[in-house]
């Protein structure tokens, strides 16, 4: 099996063959999830703890369903009511949970790098469910599966990622993944919402959305991340929609069979016109949600296999992870 990672902290550390292995397995789980009886036993007897230090609807629900469908005991830690609010540090919280012997820890945190730090302190497998502006690997993987199924391939596509790139861990993880799979990537947005140094990343930059969309196979819209902005990044939401909101007129410039994506939650009328988001002939936004559960099942399954193998080696007195 070509998936060697101990944790899933980002796309950065995955090789293209590991990405393909995970997406192939996720494809099997899509089929399982469409059955009435959705149970598999890949995580039977294991404990999964979800720690979300930032609000989430679809990602947390998706990880919870994924763990349960694979037979794990899943606990959602209610961070809002936890001792974090009493001043406990992230590391102390992690060590406390670690002592309860979880096998899989799913963590979302507002600070970039917090999940990596935590992974160094615990002896279970850790999945990053989004850390600050850094990475959101399962989102990029579910986007990749959605694209692969809609387009029949995951290479040599022209993919336009539009909007608030600077604050988006979704954009960052997607950029890395889609780049590794040899696609042509265009970033579209106002200069104030482009991260520094992005021009060296082998992507094309556009401030004119109409130009950037021309002939694109995939149009990936991003939410305007107001909670990560501390000043005036855009003149007004109306002006933003006029220049960077996806509507029928702008979408007409993309390839005739272009698909429209959005990770959710959407700001209708700000970055995307509601009628485009709901157009079942163009929008794959609901497919993204469906693929999300399957991709998270695949990630949990592969990490659990590696964890079992590691523990088996340790029990046999063989050298552990190098
Ligand atoms: C994204 C996130 O939290 O980074 N949402 C998600 O996981 N579905 C994108 C966003 O919040 O805009």
């Amino acid at each position: 099996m070509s998936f060697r990672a101990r944790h899933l902290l980002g796309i950065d550390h995955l090789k293209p063959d590991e990405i393909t292995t995970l997406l192939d397995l996720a494809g099997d789980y899509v089929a399982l999830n469409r059955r009435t009886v959705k149970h598999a036993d890949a995580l039977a007897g294991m404990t999964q703890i979800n720690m979300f230090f930032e609000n989430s609807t679809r990602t947390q629900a998706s990880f919870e369903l994924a763990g349960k469908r694979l037979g794990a005991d899943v606990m959602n830690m209610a961070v809002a009511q936890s001792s974090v609010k009493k001043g406990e540090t992230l590391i102390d919280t992690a060590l406390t949970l670690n002592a309860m012997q979880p096998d899989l820890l799913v963590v979302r945190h507002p600070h970039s790098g917090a999940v990596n730090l935590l992974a160094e302190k615990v002896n279970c497998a850790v999945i990053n469910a989004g850390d600050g502006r850094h990475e959101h690997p399962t989102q990029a993987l579910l986007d990749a599966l959605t694209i692969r199924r809609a387009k029949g391939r995951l290479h040599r596509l022209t993919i336009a990622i539009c909007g608030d790139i600077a604050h988006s861990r979704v954009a960052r993880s997607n950029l890395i993944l889609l780049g590794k799979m040899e696609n042509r990537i265009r970033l579209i947005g106002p200069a104030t919402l482009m991260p520094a140094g992005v021009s060296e990343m082998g992507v094309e930059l556009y401030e004119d959305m109409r130009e950037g969309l021309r002939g694109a196979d995939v149009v990936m819209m991003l939410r305007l991340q107001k909670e990560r902005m501390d000043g005036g990044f855009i003149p007004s939401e109306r002006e933003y929609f006029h220049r960077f909101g996806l509507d029928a007129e702008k979408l007409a410039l993309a390839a005739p069979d272009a698909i429209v994506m959005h990770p959710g939650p959407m700001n209708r009328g700000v970055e995307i016109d509601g009628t485009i988001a709901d157009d079942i002939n163009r929008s794959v936004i609901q497919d993204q949600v469906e693929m999300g559960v399957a991709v998270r099942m695949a990630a949990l399954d592969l990490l659990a296999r590696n964890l079992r193998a590691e523990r088996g080696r340790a029990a046999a007195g063989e050298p552990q992870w190098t």
Side-chain angles (χ1 to χ4, degrees), residues 204-224:
E204 298 163 37
L205 301 182
Y206 292 88
E207 267 198 78
D208 181 333
M209 190 170 181
R210 289 176 176 81
E211 246 176 69
L213 287 182
R214 206 149 276 148
D217 300 302
V218 176
V219 181
M220 189 182 288
M221 301 306 300
L222 298 171
R223 183 174 65 89
L224 207 52

Side-chain angles (χ1 to χ4, degrees), residues 282-303:
R282 308 307 294 270
S283 163
V284 293
I285 295 172
Q286 296 307 324
D287 300 282
Q288 289 174 272
V289 179
E290 181 184 6
M291 296 308 124
V293 181
V295 154
R296 285 162 183 135
M297 289 167 84
L300 289 164
D301 180 354
L302 291 171
L303 291 177

Side-chain angles (χ1 to χ4, degrees), residues 144-159:
L145 185 60
T146 307
I147 295 171
R148 197 172 84 168
R149 289 170 71 101
K151 294 273 136 211
R153 67 182 199 274
L154 189 58
H155 59 276
R156 301 181 71 177
L157 292 165
T158 299
I159 299 171

Side-chain angles (χ1 to χ4, degrees), residues 52 54-60 108 129-132 135-136 138-139 142 167-171 221-225 227-228 262-267 271 289 296:
F52 279 67
E54 231 184 39
N55 291 341
S56 165
T57 312
R58 74 206 73 220
T59 306
Q60 187 171 345
R108 168 170 286 194
D131 64 325
E135 280 239 36
H136 191 355
T138 57
Q139 179 70 46
L142 76 86
H167 299 100
S168 177
R169 54 197 175 209
V170 174
M221 301 306 300
L222 298 171
R223 183 174 65 89
L224 207 52
Q225 310 234 328
E227 76 278 20
R228 298 192 207 287
H262 193 302
M266 267 184 285
N267 290 312
E271 68 260 357
V289 179
R296 285 162 183 135

